[in-house]
Amino acid sequence: MWMLVAVACLCHCVSAHLSETRLKKAPDLVYSSVPGSPGLPGKACPSGPPGAQGCVGIPGRDGRDGRKGEKGEKGETGLKGRVGAPGKTGERGDPGPPGKQGPVGDKGDVGLPGGPGQDGQKGDKGKKGNRGIGGVCKCGSLLPKSAFSVGITSSHPTEKVPIKFDKILFDEGRHYNPETGKFICAYPGIYYFSYDITLANKHLAIALVHNGQYRIKTFDANTGNHDVASGSTAIYLNPEDEVWLEIFYSDQNGLYTDAGQADSLFSGFLLYVDTNYFDTLAEDYV
């Protein structure tokens, strides 16, 4: 279309140019209102150069939609596509009705024993049984025993602390502890304690102590020869009570011992136990 417009413009320009040339060559012609006969056709000239491109015109309106075509024939079936990825698991449906009972399976292994059950109700009292054979009395095994006698192997022990008698002569029941120098009561009752201490070179101030309190004190003056200080008493003791000997005065520690000459001894024993304790102890053996 644009080519046709360009050719029309070119022809119009050529015609106007030819007319102007003719008018310049015949200035002396007399113009008349009567048209003359048509002139001879001019020689064919080569086409002029193409004119400048015109302005773009206004775009035309959209054409109307064409009529719907006839339905084509059904094509051939295409190739089967690939299997897609599995979709997400859907919600669980309602349980279906129970099926028919299947055949009985094989017998399983025996399970672990269960825990003990609850105690049942107390039954009725049974009939009295036949009298048994009389037992043999072993009353001697019911008697508590506690006794000790200990010596010391070094002279002049430390004052105001329990004296450690480290030479065990006798210890029935093992109630005396040589590492602490203390007798520890096992059975409540009356106990008898005594001491025989050899002294030399110094005076001797010694006491029997019960749970930290002085029970008896004795004082013996040194006369330049060997001497013996002694004391004894009876005490009621409860279980776990403690008894020991102690130098109660500083610089009056004449306790002396020598394996070839003299000993210093501390002794004690149970006279009799508390009767209430003994009765309770006897019931446990019945």
Side-chain angles (χ1 to χ4, degrees), residues 185-192 235-239 270-275 277:
C185 174
Y187 310 111
I190 305 299
Y191 287 79
Y192 181 82
I235 306 175
Y236 179 87
L237 299 180
N238 290 306
L270 174 65
L271 289 175
Y272 55 87
V273 295
D274 189 308
T275 55
Y277 176 83

Side-chain angles (χ1 to χ4, degrees), residues 30-90:
V30 177
Y31 293 95
S32 177
S33 59
V34 179
S37 58
L40 297 174
K43 295 180 181 180
C45 297
S47 300
Q53 185 174 354
C55 297
V56 179
I58 299 172
R61 297 180 180 178
D62 296 336
R64 296 181 179 179
D65 296 337
R67 295 180 180 179
K68 186 176 182 181
E70 297 180 357
K71 185 176 182 181
E73 297 180 357
K74 184 176 181 181
E76 297 179 356
T77 304
L79 299 175
K80 187 177 181 179
R82 296 180 180 179
V83 179
K88 296 182 179 179
T89 304

Side-chain angles (χ1 to χ4, degrees), residues 109-135:
D109 298 334
V110 178
L112 299 174
Q118 298 179 353
D119 295 338
Q121 297 180 354
K122 187 176 181 179
D124 298 334
K125 186 176 181 180
K127 297 180 180 180
K128 186 176 182 180
N130 299 327
R131 186 172 183 176
I133 302 173

Side-chain angles (χ1 to χ4, degrees), residues 91-169:
E91 297 180 357
R92 186 175 182 179
D94 298 332
K100 296 181 180 181
Q101 184 176 0
V104 178
D106 298 333
K107 187 175 181 180
D109 298 334
V110 178
L112 299 174
Q118 298 179 353
D119 295 338
Q121 297 180 354
K122 187 176 181 179
D124 298 334
K125 186 176 181 180
K127 297 180 180 180
K128 186 176 182 180
N130 299 327
R131 186 172 183 176
I133 302 173
V136 178
C137 179
K138 295 183 179 180
C139 299
S141 62
L142 300 178
L143 296 176
K145 299 176 183 180
S146 181
F148 73 97
S149 182
V150 292
I152 190 169
T153 59
S154 60
S155 302
H156 314 302
T158 306
E159 296 92 350
K160 297 183 179 181
V161 294
I163 300 173
K164 297 180 181 180
F165 290 84
D166 54 353
K167 182 180 179 182
I168 306 298
L169 303 177

